[in-house]
Amino acid sequence: MKKEEQVRSLFGISLSDRPIWQQFLICSSGFFFGYLVNGICEEYVYNRLKFSYGWYFTFVQGFVYLVLIYFQGFTVKQMVNPWKTYVKLSAVLMGSHGLTKGSLAFLNYPAQLMFKSTKVLPVMVMGAFIPGLRRKYPLHEYVSAILLVIGLILFTLADAQTSPNFSVIGVVMVLGALVMDSFLGNLQEAIFTLNPETTQMEMLFCSTVVGLPFLIPPMVMTGELFTAWNSCYQHPYVYAVLIFEAMATFIGQVSVLSLIALFGAATTAMAFAFILFFRIKNHR
């Protein structure tokens, strides 16, 4: 864990003047809430309603984020980093979200969770190659991460009522999302490290604004923009689910950024693994 040089808060709750365990508990609680609701909503939309529009849904989610950030009082004048800082970050962020959501059209929920449970390993490996970070971990931490991943995979297979359903397209998409995730957390940590004055709201605002245009080419090339628009127009209640999911995920995203700023990308990935454990346990 790195020392924090910036006064951090999470939705008005001061973090910097609290003990480390309280900081972790508050941030991980927001993380847990956001991604638990996210998992429930995703399964409902993709598996029950059969709406498989990952790029379009990520696009809608981005606009909900911008509205919520506006209500949090953040403005462009509060930025401390140039816009170019967020280009790479935005590309991998939107790619990760789009591929993760889109993979549910080809993989069932247990299969996706199996792949996502391995996230901590690529995050740890990629940390050694990110400029401004170059983080290395001792061998025993890699061994611990491997054992954690194996345990989650075995638990998924044992606990799921339905067997994981694999599709080549779905596997490629979720593996692509994992690669982007390995860059994402480390790039975010590097920005916080290089400029400790960076706030969570700036990180989320800039990566969303810069990232939204990256979603347009895949939506147009796949025809998803028009098919998703028509489907949601015929079933407008889907937007209510998406907005509710985005509001919950917003809490999770800001909590994740707080964890990364305070504890680093690898610790955050570990927290993500434990959240996956509860999502697997509650999947019926």
Side-chain angles (χ1 to χ4, degrees):
M1 180 188 141
K2 60 183 175 33
K3 284 190 176 285
E4 180 57 47
E5 301 173 27
Q6 158 79 355
V7 176
R8 298 283 173 193
S9 64
L10 180 62
F11 299 115
I13 302 173
S14 177
L15 298 174
S16 299
D17 57 354
R18 295 176 183 271
I20 292 176
W21 69 269
Q22 288 186 15
Q23 295 176 5
F24 186 83
L25 180 63
I26 293 170
C27 295
S28 57
S29 296
F31 190 4
F32 177 81
F33 168 77
Y35 283 87
L36 185 64
V37 173
N38 171 257
I40 294 170
C41 292
E42 280 188 351
E43 187 178 13
Y44 176 74
V45 171
Y46 284 89
N47 294 344
R48 299 190 182 183
L49 299 182
K50 304 301 180 183
F51 279 34
S52 53
Y53 309 119
W55 299 110
Y56 182 76
F57 290 167
T58 304
F59 194 69
V60 173
Q61 184 183 64
F63 281 101
V64 177
Y65 282 0
L66 294 179
V67 172
L68 294 174
I69 291 170
Y70 172 78
F71 284 121
Q72 288 292 313
F74 179 83
T75 65
V76 176
K77 294 181 180 179
Q78 298 173 19
M79 289 176 57
V80 296
N81 295 303
W83 284 101
K84 65 179 181 180
T85 305
Y86 297 99
V87 175
K88 291 181 182 178
L89 176 63
S90 302
V92 296
L93 174 64
M94 294 303 172
S96 172
H97 286 345
L99 290 172
T100 298
K101 291 178 182 297
S103 67
L104 282 173
F106 305 95
L107 301 174
N108 64 2
Y109 201 57
Q112 193 204 57
L113 289 180
M114 277 185 56
F115 283 101
K116 295 296 283 185
S117 68
T118 67
K119 175 179 177 178
V120 62
L121 289 176
V123 167
M124 291 176 70
V125 172
M126 195 57 65
F129 301 98
I130 300 297
L133 199 58
R134 306 293 185 186
R135 187 178 295 278
K136 295 183 179 180
Y137 302 90
L139 179 61
H140 71 271
E141 291 192 17
Y142 284 105
V143 173
S144 299
I146 292 171
L147 293 175
L148 174 63
V149 167
I150 292 173
L152 280 169
I153 291 174
L154 292 176
F155 188 82
T156 304
L157 293 172
D159 195 66
Q161 289 188 343
T162 57
S163 299
N165 179 31
F166 296 100
S167 158
V168 174
I169 297 176
V171 170
V172 170
M173 292 180 73
V174 76
L175 287 177
L178 279 174
V179 171
M180 293 188 178
D181 281 341
S182 69
F183 282 97
L184 179 61
N186 285 303
L187 286 172
Q188 289 169 331
E189 183 180 356
I191 293 173
F192 281 127
T193 301
L194 293 172
N195 191 346
E197 294 300 313
T198 306
T199 64
Q200 301 96 305
M201 286 299 165
E202 175 182 331
M203 182 83 72
L204 188 56
F205 172 78
C206 294
S207 56
T208 302
V209 170
V210 177
L212 283 174
F214 285 106
L215 296 174
I216 297 176
M219 284 195 296
V220 173
M221 288 188 294
T222 61
E224 184 175 305
L225 176 61
F226 308 104
T227 55
W229 175 270
N230 290 332
S231 296
C232 293
Y233 179 79
Q234 295 172 10
H235 306 278
Y237 61 88
V238 174
Y239 282 115
V241 178
L242 293 178
I243 291 172
F244 175 72
E245 176 193 357
M247 292 173 67
T249 309
F250 176 77
I251 296 174
Q253 285 278 15
V254 178
S255 300
V256 165
L257 292 174
S258 301
L259 277 172
I260 292 174
L262 292 166
F263 298 96
T267 301
T268 304
M270 288 282 190
F272 177 78
F274 285 106
I275 288 172
L276 277 183
F277 171 84
F278 285 101
R279 281 173 62 166
I280 294 167
K281 186 65 178 174
N282 290 280
H283 174 69
R284 294 288 184 266

